[in-house]
Amino acid sequence: MIALLTGLAGVGYVVWQFRQVLGHGQGNERMQQIAGAIQEGASAFLGREYRVLAIFVAVVATVIASFLSWQTALAFVAGSIASAGAGYLGMYVAVRANVRTADACSHGLHDGLRVAFGSGAIMGMSVVSFSLLGLGCLYLLFRGDPGYLTYITGFGFGASSIALFARVGGGIYTKAADVGADLVGKVEKGIPEDDPRNPASIADNVGDNVGDVAGMGADLFESYSGSIIAAATLGATFGGAASPAFIGLPFLVAAVGVLSALFGIYMVLGDGSASMEAPKGGVIGGLQQRFHTAFRRHVARIDENATLEDLLKALRRSVWGASAVVLALSLVVVLGSGVSFNYWLVILVGLVAGNAIAYATEYYTSYTEKPTQGIAHATQTGAATTIIHGLAVGMMSTVAPVLIVAIAILLSIWLGIKADGSMAAGLYTVALSGVGMLSTLGVTLATDAYGPVADNAGGIAEMSHLPAEIRCRTDALDSLGNTTAATGKGFAIGSAVLTALALMAAYVTAAKIDNLSLLGPTVLPGILIGAMLPYLFSALTMMAVGKAAYQIVIEVRRQFREIPGLMDGEASPDYRSCVGICTETALREMIIPGALAVVVPLVVGFILGKEALAGLLIGVTSSGFLLAVMMANSGGAWDNAKKWIEAGQYGGKGSDAHKAAVVGDTVGDPFKDTSGPSLNILIKLMSIVSLVFASAFGSGWFSF
């Protein structure tokens, strides 16, 4: 009930903030026309994508109902709808906040940050609120049935399925448009990124929303829901009479995380008024005035001379403030639940690990730090050295997250065993630390989701020929967005490993695997197959981006060649053709990679057996973790190296160094926005598919 109430409170905040964002001005007629074209393209793509996914959901739900239970099928459908709804709502707000952010930047950098971050807050709070409402309702619906937790795993299966297709489809769309627009516009024609003469510019801005907002929202909805499901499922395996407390604890931690996230968002947005003065009069007014006076000094204020480091500090403070609040409230929850104090320490471990991964990711991707500046320095000798250096930075960046997650796992298991004396408790605490890591998702996702809005705002400013200082402000917000997006991906992949390990443990229990030996005849082949899958998956998604980008390049070249006066600005390009190419290709190419994650675990489980499937989960988790971190951080570093040069380093825009940086950025685009972020969903989807169908697997066709 507490989880449901906080979920409802989160939805209430979403409605209020939605009205706040839409209350801002939309600029001139030209700005509104461009924003309308972006809205039309994004809505058309998501509508077609969701119609395709509806068929998938119907087929899988029928299979689950036929071979498992109607309850699991119902939970699967509920998870699918909630995940799609969170993604669609985020996109709906983003394509309306972009033009408002551009207009707000005409009044100042701080105003632009408030509008863009406000739209991100809607995305963050809708994800956590929808998840708690969905899981809470299913828990109450099935409570009393011995298999109620097994049924709820279907919710995670549905959320993961939609998330993977949304990430892959949206990622292919956005990066095909981005790469095509850059290669012809920037490199061949020497025109700005969002120049209205570029036929792919609208498709590029549409892609930011369908990939980086809708896809990312579904992605983190799945991460958040999966962590709660994994912890609750393992909580039922030990504790005897106390097991309800262990089942309920992750729900309570997530609930206090919603309240903490609201505090973190307040530290950036304040009370939503430009004057920052709360109204007076009456009991409510008096309480609001006291709250306002107490916390006003914590609200970020950004002046026009703010650097990227100043902007990062403002958002860091909001995340750290939310983390401090969630620790205080979760201590009350743990003590009130009557469980060991060690479980609060586990939540602390998860939060510290999440923030440590974010800091490490920020170091490797921010252009204020040496790794990204080193890539920018390498651009002086061409595209080849730029790519070499960027790959090296990405590979080096895997060290810190791996060590952080390894230490978090070891500490969590140690604290769990100390608390309850069993390995089951140790595995439960690993899952609980994942819940702790994602407990502040409402605000951490807000810092991530605002980035595409700022990027779109820059595009609208460029295409509307707004004054140069407005584009400078949107560029500053966009650069910040690249770094916060990278840290968001770090959070997602770190939590994915913890959640996948917990789901793996739940699978071993559900499949009744009594002894799992790495030297077993089918386990090692399973590990090798699992380690290979992230590379196959990434190859498929990157080739899909390459195919779509090729078609965009050909189309953009054709229009520049065949439309008289286009390059001189005397004629308008055909934006719709590029939007259509991206839509058709993304929907076609997302099918095979998405199906891979569902089909392979079932094939391995039925043919090689349940032990081989456990090995596959080990392989895909370890390999996918490293590859996802490397790709996300290489891509983010390449992008920010380009932006550092565009800020005036090494000759600035149009220089040879800039052209090399653009090539590096185009290579990094599918790394950071298509393949990399999709891998953390792949890891968890394969784990949860295995868990849902665990009871159906036997020894396979190869019994030794």
Side-chain angles (χ1 to χ4, degrees):
M1 291 305 301
I2 292 173
L4 281 172
L5 289 173
T6 53
L8 288 171
V11 170
Y13 176 80
V14 166
V15 173
W16 179 82
Q17 186 61 44
F18 186 82
R19 297 180 63 186
Q20 291 289 117
V21 169
L22 295 189
H24 290 271
Q26 301 182 60
N28 58 43
E29 185 178 352
R30 172 64 176 166
M31 294 167 66
Q32 293 177 39
Q33 288 175 349
I34 296 167
I38 295 170
Q39 292 170 25
E40 180 184 346
S43 297
F45 173 77
L46 277 193
R48 291 187 60 181
E49 182 180 52
Y50 285 174
R51 283 195 291 272
V52 172
L53 293 181
I55 299 172
F56 169 82
V57 170
V59 170
V60 175
T62 302
V63 171
I64 293 174
S66 301
F67 292 95
L68 297 176
S69 66
W70 68 266
Q71 294 96 329
T72 306
L74 176 63
F76 172 80
V77 173
S80 302
I81 293 172
S83 179
Y88 185 85
L89 178 61
M91 182 280 299
Y92 184 89
V93 174
V95 295
R96 286 157 178 78
N98 51 15
V99 66
R100 291 168 169 82
T101 300
D103 183 64
C105 282
S106 65
H107 304 295
L109 182 63
H110 181 70
D111 292 327
L113 175 65
R114 284 169 62 83
V115 177
F117 189 84
S119 69
I122 294 172
M123 175 86 267
M125 292 306 299
S126 63
V127 163
V128 297
S129 301
F130 288 5
S131 177
L132 282 178
L133 285 174
L135 290 172
C137 288
L138 288 173
Y139 184 94
L140 292 178
L141 176 64
F142 298 139
R143 193 173 182 181
D145 188 319
Y148 68 103
L149 283 175
T150 302
Y151 305 150
I152 291 177
T153 59
F155 186 90
F157 184 13
S160 297
S161 300
I162 296 298
L164 187 62
F165 282 109
R167 255 304 189 188
V168 172
I172 292 170
Y173 186 114
T174 182
K175 292 304 109 179
D178 198 357
V179 170
D182 281 357
L183 288 179
V184 180
K186 284 186 178 181
V187 177
E188 295 183 8
K189 298 296 182 180
I191 59 178
E193 179 175 1
D194 295 300
D195 196 292
R197 294 170 290 178
N198 193 327
S201 57
I202 292 293
D204 186 9
N205 283 279
V206 170
D208 291 336
N209 294 287
V210 299
D212 297 340
V213 178
M216 176 186 59
D219 174 358
L220 287 167
F221 178 91
E222 176 266 343
S223 296
Y224 188 77
S225 302
S227 67
I228 297 172
I229 291 168
T233 303
L234 287 171
T237 63
F238 76 102
S243 62
F246 294 113
I247 295 170
L249 187 56
F251 285 92
L252 288 170
V253 173
V256 300
V258 172
L259 303 178
S260 305
L262 287 173
F263 175 75
I265 291 169
Y266 177 84
M267 293 180 71
V268 178
L269 298 180
D271 64 355
S273 64
S275 66
M276 291 300 297
E277 289 296 333
K280 300 177 182 178
V283 176
I284 294 177
L287 291 173
Q288 188 175 355
Q289 183 66 38
R290 289 184 181 181
F291 177 85
H292 189 77
T293 302
F295 292 102
R296 177 171 50 189
R297 65 180 180 274
H298 297 297
V299 177
R301 297 296 301 178
I302 305 298
D303 60 38
E304 289 306 303
N305 298 317
T307 64
L308 179 62
E309 185 61 31
D310 295 329
L311 293 168
L312 280 171
K313 284 180 180 177
L315 298 192
R316 275 195 213 119
R317 286 177 62 219
S318 68
V319 175
W320 292 347
S323 299
V325 173
V326 82
L327 282 175
L329 294 179
S330 60
L331 178 60
V332 176
V333 165
V334 168
L335 295 178
S337 299
V339 298
S340 170
F341 178 72
N342 281 14
Y343 292 104
W344 179 81
L345 294 177
V346 166
I347 298 167
L348 173 63
V349 168
L351 271 172
V352 170
N355 282 284
I357 291 172
Y359 181 81
T361 306
E362 184 182 301
Y363 172 76
Y364 279 101
T365 57
S366 173
Y367 69 50
T368 61
E369 305 295 344
K370 288 183 179 179
T372 296
Q373 291 178 359
I375 297 173
H377 181 76
T379 62
Q380 296 177 96
T381 52
T385 49
T386 303
I387 293 170
I388 291 169
H389 202 95
L391 286 171
V393 166
M395 292 175 186
M396 185 67 72
S397 72
T398 63
V399 175
V402 166
L403 293 178
I404 291 166
V405 170
I407 292 170
I409 291 172
L410 290 171
L411 280 175
S412 299
I413 291 175
W414 181 75
L415 287 168
I417 292 175
K418 284 289 184 180
D420 281 280
S422 67
M423 190 60 192
L427 293 172
Y428 171 75
T429 48
V430 170
L432 189 61
S433 67
V435 177
M437 185 180 289
L438 290 173
S439 59
T440 57
L441 183 64
V443 66
T444 54
L445 180 52
T447 65
D448 190 344
Y450 108 95
V453 175
D455 192 0
N456 265 206
I460 291 172
E462 184 79 44
M463 287 185 276
S464 303
H465 305 293
L466 297 182
E469 63 267 20
I470 297 178
R471 182 61 201 251
C472 288
R473 291 166 186 159
T474 60
D475 281 350
L477 296 177
D478 186 22
S479 296
L480 175 64
N482 282 331
T483 301
T484 56
T487 58
K489 294 180 180 76
F491 258 98
I493 189 60
S495 66
V497 175
L498 296 177
T499 302
L501 178 58
L503 290 170
M504 199 186 310
Y507 162 73
V508 169
T509 301
K512 299 179 180 178
I513 299 175
D514 300 321
N515 183 27
L516 185 64
S517 171
L518 291 177
L519 298 178
T522 59
V523 174
L524 187 57
I527 292 174
L528 293 174
I529 294 170
M532 169 272 295
L533 283 173
Y535 290 89
L536 174 61
F537 179 86
S538 298
L540 291 170
T541 52
M542 290 186 70
M543 284 192 290
V545 171
K547 290 176 185 176
Y550 175 84
Q551 295 179 53
I552 293 293
V553 168
I554 297 300
E555 173 61 19
V556 173
R557 285 174 177 170
R558 182 195 67 79
Q559 292 196 34
F560 275 117
R561 184 176 63 250
E562 297 180 4
I563 299 178
L566 178 57
M567 190 61 191
D568 299 324
E570 299 172 357
S572 297
D574 178 11
Y575 297 121
R576 289 178 178 269
S577 63
C578 292
V579 171
I581 290 171
C582 290
T583 300
E584 293 291 338
T585 308
L587 293 176
R588 182 177 65 250
E589 297 292 336
M590 75 177 186
I591 301 299
I592 294 177
L596 194 70
V598 177
V599 172
V600 171
L602 298 178
V603 171
V604 170
F606 283 116
I607 295 179
L608 296 181
K610 55 188 180 182
E611 290 84 4
L613 182 52
L616 180 139
L617 297 180
I618 294 170
V620 75
T621 301
S622 54
S623 171
F625 179 26
L626 291 168
L627 190 59
V629 171
M630 187 278 288
M631 297 180 96
N633 289 347
S634 283
W638 272 318
D639 194 349
N640 274 340
K642 177 199 69 176
K643 282 187 165 50
W644 201 52
I645 292 173
E646 290 175 345
Q649 305 296 324
Y650 303 118
K653 291 184 178 181
S655 64
D656 289 340
H658 183 238
K659 291 179 181 178
V662 170
V663 174
D665 181 34
T666 54
V667 173
D669 275 335
F671 267 45
K672 69 181 174 65
D673 291 323
T674 307
S675 302
S678 299
L679 286 172
N680 71 304
I681 312 173
L682 178 79
I683 291 170
K684 285 173 292 182
L685 179 54
M686 297 184 84
S687 297
I688 207 157
V689 168
S690 303
L691 176 58
V692 168
F693 288 92
S695 60
F697 300 132
S699 300
W701 297 357
F702 299 90
S703 55
F704 294 90

